[in-house]
């Protein structure tokens, strides 16, 4: 169907045909495809625009491929530890990086194809492949075409930040995206950034067999976490042979033959690191700089994140922003929850809000860190009277049986309401166990609900009630 002719944003004599839709969705990350299908199923004529890979970051260059490769790295690690369990592997453990990548490509590719097929097969849904850019508050250009709608949903995600650094334009650096094409073992991987992405790649490649150096400009790794969590994670990674240089800012890079040299501004340790490859894992930035937001009048902050209200509406009526680009989440589950919030408000007369969400996420090093709610530092600085419980994983029977006793569990409770304020579970199964705490936080019930629950033996979760039975004033 051909829509009304709209002139704005185009030179006279070049007026393209405009196609009108009930809804336009820009980006097929973790919110867009589900929203497209819900709106289309509700009878709306929907356009979905994707400029690159269907499924976005999580499916192609983020969660799914990295967790698939982390599984390969874990297999290698456990094979090397086989003798600890009375198992013989018959010699050196060999990692075939081409096979590792092929397995990752298969799992990731299947997911991406599934997202694309789901959209193409959906009734009332038209898929456009190309870069979408606003030309007015109600129009988006895609190549030579113009799409118009009263409702436009932005789900454009983020990409790796590339810091301005002398010499960077002279070398082939890697990001989380280009790492997906690596099918060989880097001899020595230098990683700039000691946060979630850097640590996951660091441990993974160390286990594949690379030498790994992580350069972090702050005084500790994963600085958003409590100091005891950062310290335990550092110890775990260093024990595996990863070099970690803290308080070190990478200020220049250069290549000599097959080696890359990173120049550091640091007070201790070597001011120069020599490696074979460089991975930039120093933060993310939203894909909003080439979206034409100014033509639409949509406001964003100085880092490029789009401003939204509690129901994810931007300042322009009829334009919403979901997922990483609104700066309110940064995870796959928060992007998907953004879809649920928008769909509930638009289609179900259910006033769901972003502020109903409790912060929760995992760091997928081994052992993983599961996190929910406030950190201990945040509770302390709030001045709220609180209780704390802590237990080393060496006391958890299941961890001992599995031979995976690194880490600890920590929980914080409001001393007056008895409600759970937050938790960190760094230990085997920590990414799963955290949910028993998270669900009770959502239920707004006192911690005694978990403390009195009978958990299955032998599990890590079994010790959560025990930990809650031994709370101390913070
Ligand atoms: C290495 C790594 C590991 C991660 N691991 C985890 C994890 O384990 N768990 C977790 O919860 N999160 C993880 N994340 C974060 C997670 O991937 C993101 O939070 C999630 O993908 C965000 O989804 P989104 O819908 O906001 O956008 P994205 O998934 O980034 O999708 C945005 C889409 O929009 C498209 N697009 C952008 N601009 C335009 C345009 N102008 N026109 C058309 N299309 C456009 C892009 O091509 C992309 O396909 C990880 C991220 C990285 C980098």
């Amino acid at each position: 169907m051909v829509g009304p002719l709209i002139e704005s944003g185009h030179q006279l004599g070049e007026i393209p045909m405009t196609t009108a839709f009930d809804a336009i969705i820009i980006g097929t990350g973790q919110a867009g495809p589900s929203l497209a299908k819900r709106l289309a199923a509700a009878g709306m004529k929907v356009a979905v625009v994707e400029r690159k890979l269907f499924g976005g970051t999580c499916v192609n260059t983020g969660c799914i491929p990295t967790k698939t490769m982390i599984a390969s790295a874990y297999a290698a690690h456990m094979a090397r530890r086989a003798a600890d369990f009375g198992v013989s592997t018959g010699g050196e453990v060999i990692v075939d990086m081409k096979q590792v990548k092929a397995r990752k490509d298969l799992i990731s590719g299947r997911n991406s194809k599934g997202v694309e097929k789901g959209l193409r097969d959906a009734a009332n849904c038209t898929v456009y492949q190309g870069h979408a850019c606003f030309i007015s508050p109600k129009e988006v250009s895609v190549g030579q075409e113009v799409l118009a709608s009263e409702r436009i949903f932005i789900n454009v995600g983020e990409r790796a930040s590339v810091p301005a650094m002398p010499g960077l334009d002279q070398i082939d650096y890697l990001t989380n995206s280009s790492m997906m094409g690596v099918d060989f073992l880097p001899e020595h991987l230098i990683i700039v950034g000691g946060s979630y992405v850097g640590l996951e790649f660091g441990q993974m490649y160390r286990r594949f067999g690379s030498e790994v150096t992580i350069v972090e400009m702050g005084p500790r790794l994963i600085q958003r976490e409590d100091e005891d969590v950062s310290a335990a994670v550092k110890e775990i990674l260093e024990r595996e042979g990863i070099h970690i240089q803290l308080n070190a800012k990478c200020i220049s890079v250069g290549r000599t033959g097959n080696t890359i040299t990173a120049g550091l501004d640091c007070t201790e340790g070597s001011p120069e690191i020599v490696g074979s490859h460089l991975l930039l894992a120093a933060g993310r930035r939203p894909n909003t700089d080439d979206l034409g937001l100014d033509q639409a009048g949509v406001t964003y902050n100085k880092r490029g994140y789009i401003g939204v209200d509690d129901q994810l509406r931007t300042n322009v009526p009829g334009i919403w922003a979901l997922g990483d680009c609104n700066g309110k989440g940064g995870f796959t589950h928060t992007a998907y929850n953004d879809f649920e919030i928008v769909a509930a408000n638009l289609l179900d007369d259910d006033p769901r809000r972003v502020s109903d969400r409790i912060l929760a996420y995992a760091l997928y090093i081994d052992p993983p860190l599961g996190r929910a709610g406030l950190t201990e530092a945040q509770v302390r600085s709030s001045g709220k009277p609180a209780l704390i419980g802590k237990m080393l994983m060496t006391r958890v029977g299941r961890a001992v049986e599995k031979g995976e006793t690194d880490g600890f569990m920590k929980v914080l409770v409001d001393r007056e309401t008895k409600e759970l304020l937050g938790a960190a579970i760094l230990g085997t199964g920590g990414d799963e166990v955290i949910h028993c705490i998270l669900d009770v936080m959502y239920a707004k019930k006192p911690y005694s609900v978990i403390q009195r629950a009978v958990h299955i033996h032998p599990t890590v979760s079994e010790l959560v009630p025990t930990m809650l039975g031994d709370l101390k004033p913070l």
Side-chain angles (χ1 to χ4, degrees):
M1 199 177 103
V2 175
L5 284 179
I6 298 177
E7 292 183 35
S8 55
H10 294 278
Q11 303 203 337
L12 227 60
E14 285 184 9
I15 301 168
M17 297 298 279
T18 298
T19 311
F21 288 91
D22 297 316
I24 298 170
I25 292 168
I26 307 174
T28 64
Q30 291 304 306
S34 303
L35 184 61
K37 287 192 270 182
R38 275 278 338 249
L39 296 176
M44 290 190 198
K45 186 184 164 197
V46 179
V48 183
V49 193
E50 174 53 58
R51 71 177 176 188
K52 221 169 167 193
L53 299 169
F54 287 86
T57 308
C58 172
V59 167
N60 300 288
T61 60
C63 335
I64 292 179
T66 54
K67 270 80 251 183
T68 304
M69 292 169 77
I70 282 170
S72 293
Y74 182 70
H77 177 68
M78 291 310 277
R80 286 188 199 106
R81 288 192 59 201
D84 296 351
F85 300 86
V87 176
S88 165
T89 53
E92 195 195 343
V93 173
I94 295 162
V95 179
D96 180 340
M97 290 304 294
K98 288 201 166 29
Q99 285 290 333
V100 169
K101 179 176 178 292
R103 178 175 181 272
K104 180 270 294 176
D105 287 345
L106 183 74
I107 292 173
S108 193
R110 207 187 277 152
N111 268 278
S112 180
K113 282 193 196 85
V115 173
E116 180 174 3
K117 186 170 169 6
L119 289 171
R120 291 198 189 278
D121 289 353
N124 298 334
C125 194
T126 308
V127 174
Y128 289 84
Q129 279 185 274
H131 174 79
C133 188
F134 281 97
I135 53 174
S136 80
K138 303 212 180 294
E139 295 165 292
V140 162
S141 70
V142 184
Q144 298 304 309
E145 305 198 50
V146 172
L147 319 178
S149 180
E150 291 296 320
R151 299 175 201 86
I152 303 180
F153 303 90
I154 307 170
N155 179 217
V156 292
E158 293 175 301
R159 63 182 183 274
S161 291
V162 178
M165 199 190 293
L168 207 52
D169 54 344
Q170 308 294 315
I171 65 163
D172 289 329
Y173 60 85
L174 294 157
T175 65
N176 68 292
S177 298
S178 47
M179 282 301 280
M180 296 299 122
V182 172
D183 65 353
F184 56 87
L185 189 69
E187 199 179 310
H188 183 168
L189 184 62
I190 302 170
I191 301 178
V192 178
S195 199
Y196 307 89
V197 173
L199 299 193
E200 289 186 6
F201 274 114
Q203 189 185 46
M204 183 199 309
Y205 272 83
R206 179 66 191 141
R207 290 179 170 194
F208 289 151
S210 296
E211 198 174 328
V212 172
T213 300
I214 296 175
V215 179
E216 166 55 48
M217 65 180 183
R220 57 191 175 89
L221 299 175
I222 42 172
Q223 288 181 74
R224 266 192 278 167
E225 306 302 334
D226 283 328
E227 284 183 27
D228 52 357
V229 174
S230 293
V233 165
K234 181 168 181 276
E235 194 193 318
I236 289 164
L237 297 179
E238 283 183 329
R239 213 184 314 126
E240 290 195 24
I242 295 172
H243 313 289
I244 296 170
Q245 200 156 340
L246 300 175
N247 295 307
K249 188 169 181 193
C250 187
I251 48 168
S252 67
V253 285
R255 172 174 287 288
T256 321
N258 285 335
T259 61
I260 285 178
T261 305
L264 308 182
D265 177 8
C266 56
T267 46
E268 55 193 71
S270 169
E272 212 173 75
I273 297 172
V274 179
S276 61
H277 295 80
L278 181 85
L279 166 63
L280 296 178
R284 314 265 305 154
R285 57 176 294 194
N287 293 321
T288 51
D289 44 343
D290 52 2
L291 193 57
L293 289 177
D294 294 334
Q295 277 90 298
V298 172
T299 52
Y300 46 90
N301 69 17
K302 61 179 188 303
R303 295 174 62 213
Y305 290 99
I306 299 171
V308 288
D309 67 10
D310 218 12
Q311 293 179 352
L312 301 162
R313 295 173 292 208
T314 70
N315 63 306
V316 176
I319 304 182
W320 289 254
L322 300 83
D324 285 6
C325 68
N326 64 29
K328 295 216 172 266
F331 300 100
T332 280
H333 43 279
T334 49
Y336 186 80
N337 182 231
D338 284 0
F339 143 66
E340 294 177 312
I341 291 166
V342 170
N345 280 282
L346 283 182
L347 301 173
D348 304 334
D349 196 22
D350 178 359
R352 292 181 70 172
R353 294 169 306 174
V354 180
S355 52
D356 293 334
R357 187 154 78 204
I358 297 169
L359 179 70
Y361 54 88
L363 163 66
Y364 290 90
I365 55 161
D366 173 34
L369 168 69
R371 278 272 300 110
L374 301 177
T375 61
E376 180 184 336
Q378 286 169 329
V379 175
R380 281 186 190 281
S381 65
S382 74
K384 215 185 266 258
L387 302 168
I388 184 168
K390 200 166 168 179
M391 180 180 280
L392 293 176
M393 293 302 285
T394 45
R395 283 189 57 203
V396 177
R398 187 70 199 280
V400 174
E401 291 144 16
K402 291 172 79 178
E404 300 184 354
T405 52
D406 280 335
F408 59 85
M409 305 195 275
K410 177 162 77 170
V411 67
L412 293 134
V413 170
D414 187 311
R415 205 162 68 194
E416 279 151 14
T417 65
K418 309 289 183 232
E419 284 183 21
L420 294 149
L421 296 171
I425 302 186
L426 174 67
T428 182
D431 52 330
E432 300 288 350
V433 178
I434 195 73
H435 290 92
C436 80
I437 290 169
L438 185 61
D439 289 344
V440 175
M441 289 175 78
Y442 271 109
K444 298 190 193 310
K445 295 290 179 198
Y447 75 90
S448 52
V449 171
I450 306 183
Q451 196 201 343
R452 290 168 183 217
V454 180
H455 284 187
I456 296 166
H457 172 77
T459 59
V460 178
S461 307
E462 172 192 29
L463 270 295
V464 175
T466 313
M467 172 172 61
L468 287 167
D470 191 21
L471 296 175
K472 308 240 169 2
L474 185 66

